């Protein structure tokens, strides 16, 4: 895992739910991650899939990812190239799904300091998010969680633990 | 110092003296629930690279989301699941028609007080109505539980919601939980364990308690629970085939917050589009014209819900231009509703009866909406695009309110019909 990433911001509001991140109607009909990425956020921001670039960062208000437990709502963003999600708070299953798919997430109020299109830098070792209008701090992840992120997600982590390969 | 329900269950399951909120514990769940998403989970399971489940005895698989299969893709998914079940020797497999997982589990004895249940479905919280610790997890995690038999969980902080008073006529547990979610917000219980207590909850049927714990997920809760009592024991008798040890919170436990409500003056509530916490008294939205009415889902598809609807619709007919969809939560519920004549009453009143399952709840089949259409539903979510078009509108309400609205063709206060 990179300890420091810089990326262009897509800024969203509060309570963005998994149905608008990845519509329920596709949950059983699309299984290819690349195809999932083509529908990311389509009910919220149709411009996202057209303009997203690898390494972009989503910055949002509170309760990002509320709603269903669908993991595609993480997969589609990761596959679209999103490098990290920064939000005031996350819905709990979404939070777990990000860790398990090794998509870095940061809980802090950086949404107050940045607009869409601007750049921010996240420093995981320092626990800081630097925005054009201020620096925000966040607590480091628990060691158990860090281990999963560093392994590259839950599947590689479990493989390692079970001594596979 | 005393402990909350969540702290006690998780300490016990982790084999620790005690645990504190924020601590991460590794536990062996008693049950792992998966549904139509088992096809995707089985792929993840294979990616992990183990041949056999660590313990097929904990796995419960219910086909409920898109049943019968709506097209070839769904059919293939179902086939993959049936093959996986056979290969892994999963005995607790319920094929199409048995019902929605959250109804089938307790009916078939897989839910009991003190059990630790994880499920790859966000409404796994429902099982807390029986005094189980039950939380939703993601697909990859479900695959990892299959492979290892264990999972990490963060010990949550707890909220205690104490409900006083007695629910007025035609005001139901659904109205209560909508009111609470409207009050606390969609993240009002984020990461928390929510204990529902107080005389109104004690008075409630098991079905009513399941509405509370089901919708605890809509305020972000990790789990919801009601302390088991005589009603719980009676309901589970003959279903759970083994002894169990009930877990009750200590009276001196520490809560993040204790919140009290009095329901004596509560009126029917409605969640307006497009968020569950956008709640208003029914009087505020009465008169909104509807196209479709839905009674069912894991929130309100039980016998007392169908009964409440029949109580309003018996001997009458729904308004012209309205489609009323009724889907019992399980085969057991359907059979009971047939026996009592409730199905006949509803169908005679103009209802379209669907098979037990999730039906239109997730917008994949059986009653999707066209742009501009309005549905009033007993489900738990009204997000944009959830039931088909993203330009459609979903209102959430109790079975009585939905039935009253089907009768008149517009959102209607059930106390007035
Ligand atoms: S009825 Fe709806 S909310 Fe309940 S499990 Fe099925 S899809 Fe999910």
């Amino acid at each position: 895992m990179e300890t420091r990433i810089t990326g262009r911001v897509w800024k969203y509001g509060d309570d963005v739910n998994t149905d608008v991140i990845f519509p329920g109607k596709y949950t059983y009909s699309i299984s290819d991650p690349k195809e999932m990425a083509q529908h990311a956020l389509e009910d919220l921001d149709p411009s996202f899939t057209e303009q997203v670039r690898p390494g972009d960062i989503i910055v949002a208000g509170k309760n990002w990812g509320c709603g269903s437990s669908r993991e595609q709502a993480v997969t589609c963003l990761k596959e679209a190239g999103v490098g990290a999600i920064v939000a005031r708070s996350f819905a709990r299953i979404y939070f777990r799904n990000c860790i398990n798919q090794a998509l870095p997430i940061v809980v802090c109020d950086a949404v107050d300091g940045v607009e869409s299109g601007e750049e921010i830098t996240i420093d995981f070792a320092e626990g800081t998010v630097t925005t054009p209008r201020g620096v925000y701090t966040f607590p480091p992840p628990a060691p158990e969680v860090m281990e999963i992120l560093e392994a590259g997600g839950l599947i590689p982590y479990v493989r390692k633990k079970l001594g596979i390969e | 110092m005393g402990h909350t329900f969540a702290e006690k269950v998780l300490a016990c399951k982790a084999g620790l003296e005690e645990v504190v909120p924020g601590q991460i514990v590794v536990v062996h769940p008693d049950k792992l629930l998966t549904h139509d998403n088992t096809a995707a989970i089985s792929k993840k399971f294979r990616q992990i690279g183990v041949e056999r489940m660590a313990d097929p005895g904990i796995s419960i698989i219910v086909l409920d989301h898109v049943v019968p299969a709506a097209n070839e893709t769904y059919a293939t998914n179902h086939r993959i699941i049936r093959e996986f079940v056979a290969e892994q020797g999963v005995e607790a497999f319920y094929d199409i028609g048995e019902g929605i997982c959250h109804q089938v589990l307790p009916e078939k004895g897989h839910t009991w007080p003190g059990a630790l249940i994880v499920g790859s479905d966000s409404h796994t919280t429902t099982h807390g109505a029986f005094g189980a610790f039950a939380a939703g997890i993601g697909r990859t995690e479900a695959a990892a539980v299959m492979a290892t038999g264990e999972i990490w969980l963060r010990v949550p902080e707890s909220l205690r919601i104490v409900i006083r008073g007695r629910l007025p006529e035609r005001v139901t547990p659904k109205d209560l939980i909508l009111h609470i979610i409207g009050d606390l917000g969609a993240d009002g219980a984020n990461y928390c364990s929510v204990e529902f207590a107080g005389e109104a909850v004690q008075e409630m049927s098991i079905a009513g308690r399941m509405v509370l714990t089901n919708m605890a997920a809509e305020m972000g809760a990790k789990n919801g629970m009601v302390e088991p009592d005589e009603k719980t024991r009676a309901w589970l008798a003959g279903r759970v085939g083994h002894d169990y040890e009930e877990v009750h919170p200590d009276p001196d436990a520490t809560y993040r917050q204790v919140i009290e409500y009095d329901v004596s003056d509560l009126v029917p509530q409605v969640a307006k589009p497009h968020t569950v916490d956008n709640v208003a008294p029914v009087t505020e939205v009465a008169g909104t014209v509807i196209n479709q009415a839905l009674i069912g889902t894991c929130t309100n598809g039980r016998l007392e819900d169908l009964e409440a609807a029949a109580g309003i619709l018996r001997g009458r007919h729904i308004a012209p231009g309205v489609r009323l969809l009724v889907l019992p939560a399980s085969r057991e519920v359907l059979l009971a509703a047939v026996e009592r004549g409730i199905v006949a009453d509803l169908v005679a009143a103009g209802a379209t009866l669907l098979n037990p399952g999730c039906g239109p709840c997730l917008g994949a089949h059986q009653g999707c909406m066209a742009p501009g259409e309005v549905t009033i539903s007993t489900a738990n979510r009204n997000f944009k695009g959830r039931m088909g078009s993203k330009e459609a509108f979903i209102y959430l309400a109790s079975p009585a309110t939905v039935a009253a609205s089907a009768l008149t063709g517009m959102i209607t206060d059930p106390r007035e019909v």
Side-chain angles (χ1 to χ4, degrees):
Chain A
M1 203 182 113
E2 299 279 337
T3 59
R4 200 181 149 89
I5 57 175
T6 296
R8 183 181 65 153
V9 165
W10 292 81
K11 178 171 162 173
Y12 298 109
D14 293 336
D15 299 312
V16 171
N17 66 68
T18 51
D19 273 273
V20 299
I21 302 174
F22 190 77
K25 58 180 176 249
Y26 303 132
T27 52
Y28 298 103
S29 55
I30 298 180
S31 58
D32 174 21
K34 295 256 168 333
E35 204 183 334
M36 285 179 197
Q38 289 162 13
H39 296 284
L41 292 170
E42 73 178 15
D43 286 349
L44 179 70
D45 179 359
S47 71
F48 178 81
T49 50
E50 285 160 26
Q51 290 161 26
V52 65
R53 289 195 306 247
D56 281 1
I57 296 171
I58 288 179
V59 179
K62 68 180 176 71
N63 207 20
W64 175 272
C66 58
S68 107
S69 62
R70 74 184 62 132
E71 231 161 73
Q72 299 97 315
V74 176
T75 314
C76 69
L77 295 178
K78 193 174 156 106
E79 208 54 45
V82 169
I85 308 177
V86 180
R88 265 195 236 282
S89 65
F90 289 84
R92 62 163 285 275
I93 301 179
Y94 197 92
F95 185 90
R96 294 181 69 92
N97 286 341
C98 285
I99 292 164
N100 290 333
Q101 295 198 50
L103 175 59
I105 42 176
V106 171
V107 180
C108 76
D109 294 330
V111 66
D112 296 333
V114 66
E115 295 303 327
S116 275
E118 296 176 341
E119 279 199 344
I120 61 171
T121 296
I122 306 172
D123 191 317
F124 291 97
E126 301 266 310
T128 55
V129 177
T130 307
T131 73
R133 277 167 290 283
V135 178
Y136 298 81
T137 57
F138 60 90
E144 292 86 348
V145 165
M146 205 58 215
E147 259 184 81
I148 298 174
L149 285 174
E150 274 169 357
L154 188 64
I155 288 184
Y157 171 79
V158 170
R159 285 175 67 92
K160 210 169 103 193
K161 219 171 133 186
L162 293 175
I164 300 167
E165 280 179 342
Chain B
M1 199 189 76
H3 289 289
T4 66
F5 168 75
E7 290 156 15
K8 287 174 82 169
V9 176
L10 292 177
C12 163
K13 297 293 175 185
L16 299 170
E17 243 342 90
E18 58 174 10
V19 295
V20 293
Q23 187 173 344
I24 288 186
V25 293
V26 175
V27 288
H28 293 258
D30 293 300
K31 294 290 171 191
L32 167 69
L33 155 69
T34 62
H35 46 64
D36 296 35
N37 57 18
T38 311
I41 292 166
S42 71
K43 276 185 209 151
K44 298 269 186 193
F45 177 79
R46 296 195 199 291
Q47 271 175 32
I48 293 173
V50 290
E51 295 281 316
R52 316 291 306 172
M53 284 187 186
D55 181 3
I58 67 169
S59 190
I60 305 159
I61 301 174
V62 185
L63 294 189
D64 59 1
H65 270 55
V66 184
V67 297
N71 60 32
E72 193 181 333
T73 311
Y74 292 112
T76 308
N77 261 333
H78 291 175
R79 197 189 68 192
I80 292 170
I81 296 167
R82 293 185 188 108
E83 288 167 358
F84 184 65
V85 162
E87 172 198 288
Q88 296 293 328
V90 174
E91 279 174 22
F93 171 60
Y94 301 96
D95 212 317
I96 70 160
E98 218 49 62
I100 307 169
C101 56
H102 304 308
Q103 184 67 16
V104 172
L105 253 66
E107 282 178 358
K108 304 293 184 187
H110 301 300
T111 299
W112 63 87
L116 175 64
I117 302 171
V118 292
S120 60
D121 187 276
S122 50
H123 295 104
T124 304
T125 54
T126 312
H127 307 278
F130 299 88
F133 183 96
I137 60 172
R139 292 176 179 188
T140 307
E141 304 189 281
V145 173
M146 285 176 180
T148 64
E150 56 179 48
I151 189 168
W152 65 271
L153 292 174
R154 184 178 164 278
V155 179
E157 295 184 289
S158 298
L159 290 182
R160 194 163 168 89
I161 301 186
V162 183
I163 324 259
R164 310 220 174 275
R166 181 181 276 268
L167 284 166
E169 187 74 9
R170 289 214 169 142
V171 182
T172 70
K174 180 63 163 287
D175 300 299
L176 168 61
I177 191 70
L178 286 175
H179 175 68
I180 294 173
I181 295 169
D183 190 36
L184 301 181
D187 63 346
N190 208 3
Y191 301 110
C192 286
S193 170
V194 178
E195 299 176 6
F196 293 99
E199 68 251 24
V201 178
Q202 284 158 10
E203 276 299 304
M204 242 173 238
S205 66
I206 294 295
R209 296 172 184 181
M210 289 173 83
V211 177
L212 302 186
T213 51
N214 176 274
M215 291 203 66
E218 302 315 317
M219 40 186 188
K222 178 175 206 135
N223 72 300
M225 73 85 62
V226 176
E227 280 187 62
D229 59 9
E230 264 321 309
K231 269 185 215 168
T232 322
R233 285 162 222 141
W235 201 97
L236 293 174
R239 296 182 194 266
V240 180
H242 53 79
D243 291 341
Y244 50 79
E245 200 159 318
E246 292 177 8
V247 178
H248 295 264
D250 295 328
D252 58 342
T254 308
Y255 292 93
R256 190 178 86 179
Q257 210 184 340
V258 177
I259 308 164
E260 296 207 11
Y261 291 94
D262 191 312
V263 291
S264 309
D265 298 321
L266 189 70
V267 302
Q269 305 283 308
V270 173
K272 301 181 283 183
H274 298 284
T275 56
V276 185
D277 57 0
N278 190 14
V279 176
V282 65
T283 42
E284 196 179 290
V285 285
T288 307
V289 173
I290 61 163
N291 305 97
Q292 185 168 274
L294 167 65
I295 298 171
T297 79
C298 61
T299 314
N300 281 118
R302 287 172 270 277
L303 192 63
E304 70 174 40
D305 301 319
L306 305 187
E307 186 125 54
I312 288 171
L313 293 169
R314 191 171 291 126
R316 299 154 107 175
H317 203 280
I318 59 172
V322 172
R323 320 181 290 262
L324 170 61
L325 309 178
V326 174
L327 61 160
S330 69
R331 185 189 300 279
E332 183 178 315
V333 170
L334 172 59
L335 278 171
V338 167
E339 259 167 39
R340 295 185 191 203
I342 295 170
V343 166
D345 289 337
L346 291 172
V347 172
T352 299
L353 183 70
L354 304 178
N355 56 288
C358 300
C361 180
L362 74 161
H365 70 155
Q366 292 185 329
C368 291
M369 284 192 286
E373 287 194 327
V374 176
T375 286
I376 185 163
S377 163
T378 64
N380 45 35
R381 291 206 171 123
N382 58 352
F383 302 151
K384 215 176 209 179
R386 171 112 183 148
M387 286 178 66
S389 169
K390 64 182 178 197
E391 283 141 51
F393 303 89
I394 307 171
Y395 291 80
L396 305 177
S398 74
T401 303
V402 172
S405 306
L407 189 66
T408 61
M410 51 193 153
I411 296 179
T412 297
D413 188 334
R415 298 168 303 176
E416 286 177 0
V417 295

